[in-house]
Amino acid sequence: PEVIATPGAMVAQASGWIEPDPYPVTVPVKTDGFVETVHVLEGETVSAGDLLATLDNTNMTLEVNRLEAQLARAEAALEVATHQLTSASAAVTRAEAMLKSSQARFDEASDRLRRIERLAEEDISPVERIAAARAVEDASASLVDAQSGLASARANLLAREADRNEKTSAVLASEVMLGEARLALERSRVYAPM
């Protein structure tokens, strides 16, 4: 008699196992470690991207936590350096204004003294001559102080800029190290390639 197969009907039954053709698929692991958990059973159907196993990631997790804390410290230090730079910049602006004011006082005192010196002895008292000369000396000393203050403020500004640049570099380096640690942690999870 002729056997006619109908949809859903069993045609044949046999015991055994299925082997992939032509070779088994190897699952690449990008880091060394001990297998902590296997998430699938042998022979179980998996799709690409399914989690197959997890390696022991205790050290990697601790390293990620340490680097997150280091990054937070670096960011806080950068914030402080940025505020210090802003303050130093404002100090330079104030020092420039002080120098401009001191220069104006010196110019005014010098002009007054020149005008007084052109006058005849009987037209102005010796006290006024001495007072005008002292005003120039005081204005000159104030001008020198203002110039020194501006030079100091500018030097501090340069130091603050260098400090902020150093702190920025530290943040960037911490971000790179944290990224590497997170990548290593992610690599402790083994996924099906296909």
Side-chain angles (χ1 to χ4, degrees):
E2 189 174 314
V3 176
I4 300 174
T6 60
M10 186 184 312
V11 176
Q13 179 176 353
S15 62
W17 59 89
I18 298 174
E19 291 185 8
D21 184 33
Y23 303 103
V25 175
T26 57
V27 178
V29 178
K30 296 182 179 182
T31 188
D32 294 332
F34 296 102
V35 175
E36 185 174 87
T37 308
V38 176
H39 299 280
V40 293
L41 299 174
E42 186 177 333
E44 189 175 328
T45 302
V46 295
S47 301
D50 287 354
L51 180 62
L52 301 178
T54 304
L55 302 179
D56 177 21
N57 60 16
T58 305
N59 289 342
M60 294 172 213
T61 301
L62 291 173
E63 182 66 5
V64 166
N65 293 341
R66 184 185 71 77
L67 290 171
E68 285 173 344
Q70 178 179 314
L71 177 59
R73 284 191 307 274
E75 287 172 338
L78 176 59
E79 188 174 332
V80 168
T82 301
H83 288 301
Q84 289 175 339
L85 178 61
T86 302
S87 295
S89 180
V92 167
T93 302
R94 287 190 304 274
E96 288 170 341
M98 182 68 76
L99 178 61
K100 187 175 180 179
S101 173
S102 294
Q103 183 68 51
R105 273 186 267 129
F106 176 76
D107 292 344
E108 182 182 332
S110 296
D111 182 54
R112 186 172 194 294
L113 180 60
R114 276 192 301 273
R115 283 185 283 123
I116 287 174
E117 287 174 342
R118 280 189 243 143
L119 295 173
E121 290 283 332
E122 61 275 355
D123 291 338
I124 191 158
S125 72
V127 173
E128 286 183 89
R129 283 185 193 274
I130 293 171
R134 283 215 168 159
V136 170
E137 289 175 8
D138 291 346
S140 177
S142 180
L143 182 59
V144 169
D145 287 347
Q147 289 168 336
S148 175
L150 179 58
S152 177
R154 285 181 175 159
N156 186 47
L157 179 62
L158 290 176
R160 296 300 108 219
E161 285 174 344
D163 186 49
R164 192 205 43 193
N165 291 341
E166 181 183 326
K167 299 298 193 270
T168 300
S169 296
V171 166
L172 294 175
S174 292
E175 287 174 343
V176 168
M177 289 188 294
L178 179 57
E180 290 172 344
R182 285 179 174 159
L183 179 62
L185 179 60
E186 178 58 29
R187 286 180 174 171
S188 70
R189 299 170 63 81
V190 182
Y191 296 96
M194 56 190 306

